[in-house]
Amino acid sequence: MSEQLRVAVIIASVREGRFGPIIANWFTGVAGQRENLTIDVIDLIEHDLPNQLSQAPSDEVKAILAGVSPRLAAADAFVVVTPEYNHSFPASLKTLIDWHTTEWQAKPVGFVGYGGLAGGMRAVEQLRQIFAECHMVTVRDTVGFHGPWGQFDEQGNLIDPTQADAAAKTLLDSIEWWGTALKAKKAVGPYGG
């Protein structure tokens, strides 16, 4: 059996009444069926991220980030579960991205978007540009839920998982391929981007 690939699943929304945890639970259930993946769910509502950027993080800021930064650094790959707010993604996610540098580099990232008619895809397309600047590989395939509120039952299960499960499988195949390839390359030598 191959070495475990550590995948951090980031729940981006911190709004009251958010739907992200339901979608993340479904996604981690699908991902958890793969024996070679270790899943770490990072829910941004659990982290009091600093609001303002400075040139160099103070000791106070480093202490605030201590709960999340090591988990990002330990991940081999990421999947971001994000809503679309005003044709974009949540500020909480941008704050997380901006407070970290090397933790993102030379790792793949995939997306599970949700929202209205666009299914979160406008947020995803903006995130592709930002994560490319972070020296990450954004995988092509995504999972999108337009109007997800009617697609899950009261227990948080997909009413008809056929299409979403197939999309998640394709996304995870890409994450595994890129995560394994980049991890192997970094084992030979550090990323120099």
Side-chain angles (χ1 to χ4, degrees):
M1 184 162 81
S2 64
E3 186 179 341
Q4 292 288 109
L5 194 69
R6 295 170 304 222
V7 179
V9 176
I10 299 171
I11 303 174
S13 177
V14 297
R15 285 187 177 180
E16 187 175 337
R18 66 202 176 119
F19 204 74
I22 292 170
I23 294 176
N25 286 338
W26 159 78
F27 182 78
T28 58
V30 174
Q33 296 173 16
R34 296 184 178 224
E35 293 180 8
N36 59 329
L37 298 183
T38 299
I39 306 298
D40 178 20
V41 177
I42 300 174
D43 189 341
L44 295 188
I45 205 165
E46 298 171 1
H47 300 279
D48 186 23
L49 299 171
N51 290 325
Q52 297 178 346
L53 292 176
S54 62
Q55 288 300 93
S58 67
D59 289 340
E60 182 180 335
V61 169
K62 288 178 183 175
I64 291 170
L65 294 172
V68 69
S69 298
R71 293 168 70 186
L72 297 177
D76 299 309
F78 300 92
V79 174
V80 176
V81 177
T82 185
E84 182 177 311
Y85 295 157
N86 301 321
H87 291 207
S88 190
F89 54 89
S92 52
L93 180 56
K94 185 67 162 88
T95 301
L96 179 75
I97 294 166
D98 288 347
W99 275 112
H100 296 91
T101 305
T102 57
E103 292 86 354
W104 304 118
Q105 292 179 349
K107 297 177 183 178
V109 60
F111 305 99
V112 178
Y114 63 96
L117 291 177
M121 291 304 109
R122 291 179 288 218
V124 167
E125 291 309 311
Q126 290 183 27
L127 286 167
R128 288 185 189 285
Q129 296 173 34
I130 293 164
F131 278 124
E133 184 63 22
C134 295
H135 297 257
M136 297 183 81
V137 174
T138 64
V139 300
R140 177 191 173 277
D141 299 292
T142 61
V143 179
F145 289 99
H146 65 276
W149 309 275
Q151 295 184 47
F152 290 80
D153 64 21
E154 292 178 6
Q155 289 75 41
N157 299 311
L158 268 172
I159 295 167
D160 181 4
T162 308
Q163 289 182 337
D165 283 1
K169 178 192 178 308
T170 302
L171 169 63
L172 287 164
D173 288 346
S174 296
I175 286 288
E176 282 188 51
W177 192 95
W178 280 106
T180 302
L182 292 169
K183 186 175 180 178
K185 183 63 176 170
K186 286 185 290 187
V188 175
Y191 176 72

